[in-house]
Amino acid sequence: MTRIELPRVVSRAEWLEARKALLAREKELTRARDRLNADRRRLPMVEVTEPYEFSGAHGKLRLLDLFEGRQQLIVYHFMWLFEDDGTPKDRGCPSCSGYADQISKGHLRHWHNVGTTFALISRAPWEKIAPFKARMGWPVPWYSSAGSRFNHDYHVTLDESVAPVEYNYRTPAEHEQAGSAYYLGGKQPFDLHGLSCFLRDGERVYHTYSTYGRGTESTGGSYCFLDLTALGRQEEWEEPKGRSTGLGAKAGDERIRYPDEQEDLSDSSGARPAVAAPEADDCCSRMRR
């Protein structure tokens, strides 16, 4: 196993000095984030007039119905997997599955308490989504947008025969210039992920915000926690170099497994005392004690 580079070992006093210096920068970031969030809330909004139709456990639905009577709706655009001929597979994207698995019942309860609904939407038919949702055991509402322009209009299904290709507010030429053309590789149509927010005023629905690519990672949870640790996400691109353990996998990595293929968390009772190995009864071992 390759030895990873660990942080320097220093005295508590030296660590505290460095931590306080970092704290000042963290506070700057917190205040900058507060200003950014305020400007996000100041964004104007666009009325949604397209009569999108969705399918779910209770039949055909309008976008307005997805609010479930609440004032706000957050939609995660969940990528589905398709065959080369466009036939939907029986499963969604493993990376999106990892994201959705973090949206626990607790998240839903807290959002509902402030009048906000969260839902997943995919381009696959409901008949494909329903068994996969049951397999994952998620309580999150999930809907099919198959047959509508919803995914295309919110730029998470790329198909230039339906709409001009755009992802994360960039055209193909702008992605080439920015070095992010990897987003656009693949045979069209194909799906990418994103997150969109909507606001309801009576019977009228408005689009207030969408984010794509790495813009969604702060909403999933686990990355934010890992960013606080010494080893971080344990991916090769991170600084400082030498901290990658080989365990971290970026979105789309073939090593990513579906939640039900990973560690069984049914036993949540926690750690148990370690069992000490019996000591050898010899003179050398006694000298080492």
Side-chain angles (χ1 to χ4, degrees):
M1 179 177 178
T2 303
R3 179 174 174 79
I4 60 174
E5 294 295 326
L6 300 178
R8 291 186 302 118
V9 177
V10 298
S11 67
R12 170 60 61 172
E14 188 175 348
W15 178 89
L16 187 59
E17 181 181 2
R19 179 65 188 92
K20 287 183 175 179
L22 184 63
L23 177 62
R25 295 174 59 197
E26 287 178 336
K27 287 182 176 293
E28 291 176 8
L29 179 60
T30 297
R31 288 189 286 268
R33 185 174 61 244
D34 287 343
R35 292 191 296 270
L36 179 65
N37 289 340
D39 287 342
R40 185 183 291 114
R41 292 190 291 271
R42 292 188 185 102
L43 278 174
M45 57 188 185
V46 178
E47 185 169 7
V48 180
T49 57
E50 181 74 19
Y52 299 116
E53 187 177 83
F54 304 89
S55 300
H58 303 292
K60 300 297 183 182
L61 301 156
R62 304 167 298 166
L63 183 60
L64 179 65
D65 298 323
L66 307 193
F67 284 75
E68 298 183 64
R70 302 182 184 94
Q71 192 166 12
Q72 294 192 120
L73 171 66
I74 302 172
V75 167
Y76 181 72
H77 302 284
F78 193 113
M79 296 166 58
W80 200 260
L81 302 181
F82 293 81
E83 303 286 0
D84 290 341
D85 63 1
T87 303
K89 295 185 178 182
D90 294 328
R91 59 193 186 278
C93 165
S95 294
C96 288
S97 297
Y99 176 94
D101 199 55
Q102 299 175 65
I103 309 302
S104 66
K105 294 179 181 179
H107 278 81
L108 297 181
R109 291 191 187 104
H110 283 284
W111 286 328
H112 292 177
N113 288 341
V114 290
T116 302
T117 297
F118 182 90
L120 309 174
I121 294 181
S122 297
R123 183 166 59 99
W126 171 247
E127 292 72 23
K128 292 288 186 179
I129 293 174
F132 185 72
K133 182 179 188 297
R135 170 187 162 186
M136 295 293 103
W138 297 327
V140 179
W142 199 342
Y143 307 101
S144 166
S145 62
S148 80
R149 287 181 52 97
F150 182 78
N151 273 42
H152 301 86
D153 289 349
Y154 289 91
H155 305 290
V156 289
T157 291
L158 304 189
D159 185 350
E160 58 189 8
S161 70
V162 177
V165 170
E166 174 192 306
Y167 186 65
N168 206 14
Y169 306 101
R170 284 174 173 164
T171 65
E174 289 169 332
H175 275 293
E176 286 285 351
Q177 185 175 5
S180 53
Y182 48 82
Y183 279 126
L184 309 183
K187 181 181 178 182
Q188 296 183 14
F190 62 89
D191 295 348
L192 293 172
H193 76 285
L195 186 145
S196 295
C197 298
F198 300 89
L199 181 69
R200 182 173 69 88
D201 184 13
E203 296 290 301
R204 305 176 81 170
V205 173
Y206 300 88
H207 174 223
T208 61
Y209 183 74
S210 285
T211 188
Y212 308 91
R214 292 192 64 193
T216 66
E217 67 184 24
S218 63
T219 62
S222 64
Y223 281 146
C224 294
F225 283 95
L226 289 174
D227 285 343
L228 302 179
T229 69
L231 301 184
R233 306 179 190 189
Q234 301 171 51
E235 297 179 21
E236 292 294 340
W237 62 269
E238 289 183 289
E239 298 288 347
K241 297 300 183 185
R243 297 283 173 91
S244 174
T245 62
L247 297 175
K250 64 181 181 180
D253 193 293
E254 62 182 10
R255 293 174 295 160
I256 295 176
R257 298 291 178 261
Y258 290 101
D260 63 344
E261 297 173 345
Q262 299 182 39
E263 179 185 359
D264 181 6
L265 300 178
S266 58
D267 181 1
S268 58
S269 59
R272 293 163 175 77
V275 178
E279 296 187 37
D281 189 17
D282 61 74
C283 59
C284 294
S285 67
R286 286 195 292 273
M287 290 175 63
R288 291 193 295 268
R289 293 176 194 170

